[in-house]
Amino acid sequence: MKKIITILTVILVLFSFSVCYASQKSFTDVKETDWYYNTLASIVEKEIIDGYPDGTFKPQNNITKAEFTKVIIAALKIEIVEGNPFVDVNEHWAKNIVNTAVENQIIDRLEYGDTFNPDKNITRIEMAKMVVKALGMDAEAKNKAGEMTLFSDDSAISDEDKGYVVIAAENEVIRGYEDMTFRPEGQATRAEASQMLINMLMVIESQEEEPDNVVDRVNEALQDRDFEVKLPKGMESAAKHEDPETYEELIENIETLKVYPYTTKKSDNWELISLSQFVSNPNEDQATVNVIGVIKMKLPNYKLDIVDFNFGEVTYNCIYSDELTSDGFSTGVLIKDGEIIERVSHVRDHYTVGLKEKESIYKADYIAFTRHTGDFFSNKNRYDSKIQDVLVVFENPFKK
């Protein structure tokens, strides 16, 4: 009897080891410190993408249109529909897979015409469009065609494609690079494709949840936040709820966009309103080059005066305020009708705002000043860097 128990124990141990090994499959070219480490573990576990026979994953290798079509169909577990949608896939291994994507409106045949170029590396914009279509958000994306995206290379994205990027970004399916670019024509890697598919599946999972579960999850995330918001001396939040603690308070803040909207995912903590969401020409002035977001605030109870500054035979308007200077407000801009119209230059305790005869200071809707992100946020994340700025926006008290 003891011998049988011993044999069974050995079998259970070996089985446990094999299960553990299978669930923690590793690749020789992937390190735990790589940003895609957990993503690849998840995507392989779901049997969507696998590695190569030599034990590598080759995360930085490009992925072709046919390969990405295969994995997106695998991720969605769509039944294969045989057919030949393009003349150049007739003899291709992915013919039926591509046809399945066409039949399920993941690939728009009209967009490609007669040829699909299945072995051509897929671009990031093509990948984003396929994912948005797979989520059933094609009509929504088309309605947002031409809408400005949050990426610094927005001008590189065609108007007809911008809606797809907007929808994908809003649903956190895609994220840009560290320099805030999207690079629509960049060739996607296997790691990037894996991340986008995981994000897509997370969106699908959230869509299937009951609304009450979403509310509960958001409430829990808000209660468990591990960061703190701090407002500089003399400043008061324009949001109804300065530090939202419930789903309802969160939604009220987001709807008014008075301060920054918190996201529903604790891992992301929060995002500032993008500068490109606030003005149509965000790169118009050097003053905003390091600005990563916008916060609208109530104007502190500062004493502000408009004074004239004569330089040679030219007279400039200046804002004079000891408090603005001492509290760390720096160079800024004037904003009218959603555009930057004038730079606000910081010169000691004065802020020059342009020629007096133009009266820009009296025409602007908002007056804004830059401040370091570290002045506002004490949480330890990427917004603590002193290199980055926030544009603090006030209703213009001098507007006539």
Side-chain angles (χ1 to χ4, degrees):
M1 183 68 180
K2 289 182 178 179
K3 185 175 181 180
I4 294 174
I5 293 175
T6 301
I7 293 173
L8 288 174
T9 301
V10 171
I11 292 173
L12 287 173
V13 169
L14 290 173
F15 177 75
S16 299
F17 174 79
S18 65
V19 171
C20 178
Y21 176 79
S23 64
Q24 297 180 8
K25 184 174 181 178
S26 59
F27 301 101
T28 58
D29 56 347
V30 177
K31 302 188 295 292
E32 289 189 24
T33 53
D34 292 328
W35 67 263
Y36 43 76
Y37 178 80
N38 292 328
T39 296
L40 300 191
S42 179
I43 205 82
V44 170
E45 183 181 359
K46 296 178 185 295
E47 299 182 345
I48 298 172
I49 301 180
D50 204 350
Y52 292 90
D54 63 356
T56 63
F57 187 84
K58 296 180 174 55
Q60 300 305 328
N61 277 18
N62 295 126
I63 186 168
T64 68
K65 294 182 182 182
E67 289 170 338
F68 186 73
T69 304
K70 177 185 176 181
V71 295
I72 201 170
I73 294 299
L76 296 172
K77 295 181 171 59
I78 299 176
E79 185 176 349
I80 298 297
V81 181
E82 294 185 1
N84 181 33
F86 301 100
V87 296
D88 60 348
V89 299
N90 186 39
E91 302 296 330
H92 198 275
W93 63 264
K95 177 180 72 172
N96 293 331
I97 292 172
V98 173
N99 185 65
T100 301
V102 172
E103 291 295 323
N104 285 272
Q105 300 179 333
I106 297 172
I107 293 175
D108 186 352
R109 192 181 186 283
L110 295 177
E111 181 179 340
Y112 288 95
D114 294 331
T115 58
F116 182 62
N117 294 313
D119 294 321
K120 185 177 180 181
N121 291 336
I122 194 168
T123 62
R124 285 171 53 80
I125 188 63
E126 287 179 308
M127 196 163 60
K129 291 173 71 173
M130 286 179 66
V131 169
V132 170
K133 291 175 188 289
L135 290 171
M137 298 180 178
D138 185 50
E140 189 175 350
K142 287 179 179 177
N143 288 335
K144 290 181 176 289
E147 185 173 312
M148 184 173 288
T149 71
L150 306 181
F151 299 102
S152 61
D153 58 346
D154 176 81
S155 60
I157 306 170
S158 69
D159 284 344
E160 63 181 357
D161 289 343
K162 284 183 179 180
Y164 292 95
V165 177
V166 169
I167 294 298
E170 286 178 349
N171 286 276
E172 300 184 345
V173 173
I174 59 173
R175 297 181 179 88
Y177 294 93
E178 290 184 358
D179 61 358
M180 304 297 286
T181 59
F182 176 66
R183 305 175 194 175
E185 298 304 320
Q187 295 182 350
T189 65
R190 282 166 55 83
E192 290 173 334
S194 299
Q195 184 63 62
M196 192 173 290
L197 289 173
I198 288 296
N199 294 344
M200 178 190 73
L201 293 175
M202 290 177 65
V203 173
I204 292 174
E205 182 181 342
S206 68
Q207 290 173 340
E208 295 172 349
E209 293 180 352
E210 294 295 326
D212 288 344
N213 292 339
V214 175
V215 173
D216 291 341
R217 190 178 73 253
V218 172
N219 286 339
E220 182 179 351
L222 289 170
Q223 295 294 331
D224 291 343
R225 291 199 307 273
D226 57 358
F227 64 95
E228 178 186 355
V229 177
K230 60 178 181 179
L231 298 179
K233 169 187 162 185
M235 297 195 68
E236 181 181 357
S237 171
K240 183 173 183 180
H241 307 286
E242 182 175 307
D243 198 12
E245 296 182 352
T246 66
Y247 178 85
E248 289 75 16
E249 292 179 351
L250 171 71
I251 294 301
E252 284 185 294
N253 279 3
I254 292 176
E255 287 177 346
T256 58
L257 288 179
K258 291 298 184 184
V259 190
Y260 46 87
Y262 287 87
T263 69
T264 58
K265 293 185 179 179
K266 182 187 172 188
S267 60
D268 291 330
N269 290 338
W270 48 267
E271 292 289 344
L272 296 166
I273 301 172
S274 167
L275 181 60
S276 62
Q277 284 182 304
F278 192 75
V279 295
S280 62
N281 57 339
N283 300 317
E284 187 75 12
D285 196 281
Q286 186 69 18
T288 59
V289 67
N290 291 322
V291 170
I292 61 169
V294 176
I295 299 181
K296 291 176 69 177
M297 292 283 185
K298 292 180 180 178
L299 183 66
N301 189 27
Y302 291 155
K303 181 181 178 182
L304 303 177
D305 295 313
I306 297 293
V307 296
D308 293 344
F309 176 75
N310 296 315
F311 185 77
E313 298 180 356
V314 182
T315 303
Y316 296 87
N317 280 140
C318 294
I319 301 172
Y320 177 82
S321 173
D322 287 330
E323 293 99 333
L324 278 171
T325 304
S326 62
D327 281 353
F329 289 99
S330 188
T331 302
V333 291
L334 297 179
I335 300 169
K336 177 177 173 57
D337 297 329
E339 289 191 354
I340 296 172
I341 62 170
E342 193 93 56
R343 184 175 187 177
V344 179
S345 299
H346 179 218
V347 184
R348 296 183 180 177
D349 51 1
H350 287 71
Y351 297 86
T352 60
V353 292
L355 296 175
K356 179 179 180 180
E357 61 189 50
K358 295 174 68 173
E359 296 192 327
S360 297
I361 186 62
Y362 301 110
K363 298 175 182 178
D365 301 315
Y366 301 103
I367 182 169
F369 301 91
T370 55
R371 290 197 58 162
H372 293 310
T373 53
D375 292 342
F376 289 88
F377 306 104
S378 61
N379 57 307
K380 295 180 179 179
N381 62 24
R382 62 193 174 108
Y383 297 115
D384 276 335
S385 172
K386 288 290 184 180
I387 298 175
Q388 296 172 321
D389 295 324
V390 174
L391 192 67
V392 183
V393 178
F394 304 116
E395 299 281 349
N396 183 11
F398 305 109
K399 185 176 181 181
K400 293 182 179 180

